Amino acid sequence: MFAGWTQAISADAARNDGHEFDFEFGTWKTHVSMLKQPLTGSKTWAEYDGITIVHKVWNGQANLVDLDMKNASSHLKLASFRLFNPATHEWSLYVANSHSGTLGVPSVGGFADGRGVFYDKEMFDGKPVTVRFVITPRSADAIHFEQAFSADDGKTWETNWIADDTRVKDR
């Protein structure tokens, strides 16, 4: 696991009680910007719009995220299963996309001061990377997400995924 994770969040992790994602249950309009070629120096982004639905599981100690997004040339479907570990007070975020049909490496972390930070280590284009995923609620009706890769174990980061969600109000 990322070395900085323990120092950065361990003192605050005890405050996580399995209901940190309760603010997110419901339906959201989503705008996603994805860096087309991460870790290559590219500055070309693909833009997507879609809908995210977040379902409560196990009274909130888990949840399922269903993201369906598209642009003029591509249609992506992602699912995230988020599990709370009551022994460690940490969350594990597993992501799958409809193209591969497999679950990825879980990002592990938690919330401190309302902001969620999650890390994992995985392979990207045959090279090891550290992944940081940050969730920042902006209000009861707006959430900002960012994912970044580090090829040097967290010394430098390149953001490659930015999403902004706006709650869809009941009619």
Side-chain angles (χ1 to χ4, degrees):
M1 186 54 55
F2 176 66
W5 162 248
T6 304
Q7 294 87 14
I9 199 96
S10 61
D12 293 309
R15 289 188 263 183
N16 286 243
D17 65 2
H19 292 281
E20 288 70 33
F21 283 103
D22 285 3
F23 70 92
E24 196 179 4
F25 299 138
T27 303
W28 300 81
K29 181 181 172 188
T30 302
H31 179 79
V32 174
S33 301
M34 287 176 30
L35 189 59
K36 285 189 172 186
Q37 297 175 320
L39 302 176
T40 66
S42 172
K43 303 292 183 205
T44 305
W45 293 79
E47 305 290 326
Y48 294 85
D49 288 299
I51 295 291
T52 300
I53 302 171
V54 183
H55 305 273
K56 182 188 291 193
V57 178
W58 302 335
N59 195 31
Q61 297 227 310
N63 60 73
L64 179 62
V65 178
D66 180 7
L67 170 57
D68 189 334
M69 60 184 181
K70 56 183 144 183
N71 61 23
S73 61
S74 184
H75 186 187
L76 299 173
K77 294 180 183 181
L78 303 176
S80 178
F81 191 52
R82 302 162 170 167
L83 298 168
F84 180 71
N85 182 332
T88 63
H89 298 272
E90 294 175 326
W91 285 89
S92 295
L93 285 53
Y94 297 84
V95 177
N97 72 57
S98 62
H99 296 295
S100 71
T102 61
L103 285 175
V105 174
S107 294
V108 178
F111 284 79
D113 299 321
R115 181 174 174 257
V117 182
F118 309 87
Y119 294 98
D120 73 71
K121 289 193 177 269
E122 56 190 76
M123 298 299 285
F124 180 77
D125 283 345
K127 298 176 186 153
V129 296
T130 303
V131 180
R132 179 183 66 203
F133 189 69
V134 179
I135 302 172
T136 308
R138 306 275 173 139
S139 71
D141 297 322
I143 308 169
H144 181 78
F145 304 85
E146 284 193 20
Q147 176 181 276
F149 286 172
S150 175
D152 57 14
D153 206 26
K155 292 182 184 103
T156 61
W157 295 93
E158 178 186 73
T159 300
N160 58 44
W161 168 280
I162 300 169
D164 287 292
D165 285 9
T166 304
R167 187 178 300 279
V168 174
K169 300 284 188 175
D170 292 335
R171 295 178 191 194

